[in-house]
């Protein structure tokens, strides 16, 4: 009986203490709380709420706060929102939104099922980062797409799906160019291209020449044929870096019937038509 009474008293005392501390904290919060600038809420509502971090801030709320309170933060940092959102934020904050070209995600790999050879069968966690821990991944090519969909799962806008070939597919009509997919790819095979880009290299391999072709039929050989046949090679629109062709989109003239495309023996460099990679199949039936 005494134990029961003691337990009840202990519960009552603890409850009272909790109520007192709760009242004190609530009073302190009310007294020292800072009123939020209502403009911050308006800017936040105008943002797409993707929480992608492409603006450089930890989510839409933080960017809204920064663009309202900091005169040096421009109104056009919301990549997914593009020009339409930038115009709204600029109007709300009284700032000027400089024009920026939209971008989209491009997968720099065509080494899908049947194209890139497997070194072993991976049966671990269905995750690119986890697979890479096992001998740098199951493919002989250690630079290409691992194919476990980290990028697809990370996309806040549903712009990516896994294709039947084991490679991620980007829906350019939905992709906002936020870069979230690129940030989670352990092999860095995703790049952001300007919407005006007409030529791109769909390979990330730094393996060199014919021996590497045994591992992947779609890789860039690093032969330099595209660079030598570029109509603007004096401007270095295409360079070979670490045995891989790299297109400088700031220099590339986006030529019609570009000779760099026709001279590539594997089709690793191709034409981007409305953001979609287009290249005729090679003799090895690679597409």
């Amino acid at each position: 009986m005494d134990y029961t009474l003691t337990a009840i008293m202990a519960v009552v005392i603890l409850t009272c203490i909790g109520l007192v501390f709760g009242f004190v904290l609530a009073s302190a919060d009310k007294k020292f709380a800072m009123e939020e600038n209502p403009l911050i809420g308006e800017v936040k509502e105008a943002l797409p709420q993707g929480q992608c971090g492409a603006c450089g801030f930890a989510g839409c709320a933080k960017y809204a706060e920064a663009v309202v309170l900091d005169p040096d933060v421009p109104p056009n940092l919301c990549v997914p929102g593009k020009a339409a959102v930038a115009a709204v934020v600029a109007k709300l904050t009284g700032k000027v939104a400089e024009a920026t070209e939209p971008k989209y995600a491009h997968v720099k790999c065509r080494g899908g099922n049947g194209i890139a050879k497997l070194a072993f069968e991976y049966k671990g966690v269905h995750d690119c980062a986890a697979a890479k821990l096992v001998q740098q991944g199951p493919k002989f090519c250690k630079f290409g797409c691992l194919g476990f969909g980290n990028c697809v799962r990370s996309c806040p806008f549903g712009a990516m799906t896994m294709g039947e070939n084991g490679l991620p597919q980007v829906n350019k009509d939905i992709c906002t160019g936020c870069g979230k997919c690129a940030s989670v790819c352990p092999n860095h095979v995703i790049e952001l291209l300007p919407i005006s880009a007409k030529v791109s290299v769909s390979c990330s391999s730094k393996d060199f020449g014919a021996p590497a072709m045994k591992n992947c039929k779609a890789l860039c050989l690093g032969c330099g044929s595209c660079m030598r046949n570029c109509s603007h090679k004096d401007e270095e629109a295409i360079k070979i870096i670490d045995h891989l062709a790299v297109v400088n989109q700031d220099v590339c003239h986006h030529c019609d019937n570009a000779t760099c495309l026709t001279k590539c023996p594997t089709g690793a460099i191709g034409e981007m038509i409305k953001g979609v990679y287009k290249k005729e199949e090679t003799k090895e039936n690679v597409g």
Side-chain angles (χ1 to χ4, degrees):
M1 188 69 176
D2 292 339
Y3 289 114
T4 303
L5 182 60
T6 302
I8 294 174
M9 290 180 64
V11 171
V12 171
I13 292 172
L14 290 174
T15 302
C16 291
I17 292 174
L19 290 173
V20 170
F21 275 104
F23 176 77
V24 171
L25 291 174
S27 299
D29 181 66
K30 184 176 181 180
K31 180 177 180 180
F32 297 106
M34 295 179 63
E35 291 187 8
E36 182 181 88
N37 186 330
L39 186 57
I40 295 175
E42 293 183 50
V43 171
K44 180 183 175 182
E45 288 297 318
L47 300 176
Q49 306 303 317
Q51 315 303 336
C52 60
C55 59
F57 294 89
C60 298
K62 288 296 183 182
Y63 174 54
E65 181 180 344
V67 75
V68 170
L69 302 179
D70 189 340
D72 294 327
V73 175
N76 61 351
L77 295 185
C78 180
V79 177
K82 302 181 180 178
V85 169
V88 173
V89 175
K91 183 177 180 180
L92 288 171
T93 58
K95 296 180 178 180
V96 177
E98 300 291 339
T100 57
E101 184 176 8
K103 294 183 178 182
Y104 62 89
H106 170 61
V107 181
K108 298 185 297 178
C109 180
R110 294 188 300 140
N113 301 333
I115 303 300
K117 290 185 177 180
L118 293 177
F120 61 90
E121 185 178 0
Y122 175 76
K123 294 185 178 181
V125 179
H126 202 78
D127 179 90
C128 297
K132 188 175 175 63
L133 293 175
V134 183
Q135 300 180 36
Q136 299 298 305
K139 295 180 179 179
F140 276 109
C141 176
K142 303 305 179 184
F143 301 96
C145 174
L146 290 157
F148 294 102
N150 286 30
C151 53
V152 174
R153 291 189 293 273
S154 72
C155 179
F157 302 101
M160 302 185 78
T161 56
M162 290 302 298
E164 294 182 358
N165 62 351
L167 297 176
Q169 311 291 322
V170 181
N171 185 331
K172 305 302 191 304
D173 294 328
I174 300 176
C175 179
T176 64
C178 71
K180 194 68 176 290
C181 57
S183 68
V184 301
C185 177
N187 276 358
H188 309 291
V189 301
I190 299 178
E191 66 177 339
L192 297 179
L193 289 180
I195 202 70
S196 62
K198 290 186 178 180
V199 171
S200 181
V201 178
S202 290
C203 181
S204 299
S205 174
K206 296 179 182 178
D207 290 332
F208 181 63
M213 279 287 289
K214 297 178 181 179
N215 298 331
C216 180
K217 295 182 291 184
L219 91 167
C220 170
L221 293 169
C223 64
S225 179
C226 56
M227 180 180 67
R228 291 190 298 274
N229 288 281
C230 176
S231 303
H232 300 276
K233 58 185 176 182
D234 293 340
E235 299 177 54
E236 298 185 326
I238 303 176
K239 290 183 179 180
I240 304 298
I241 302 174
D242 293 330
H243 311 307
L244 179 67
V246 178
V247 178
N248 185 339
Q249 299 294 344
D250 293 331
V251 177
C252 179
H253 287 248
H254 306 146
C255 311
D256 293 328
N257 301 316
T259 52
C260 62
L261 304 179
T262 59
K263 298 297 182 180
C264 178
T266 65
I269 185 169
E271 183 179 9
M272 309 297 294
I273 301 176
K274 292 184 179 180
V276 179
Y277 183 87
K278 298 290 183 182
K279 183 67 181 180
E280 293 181 0
E281 294 185 349
T282 65
K283 294 179 180 179
E284 292 83 13
N285 197 33
V286 176

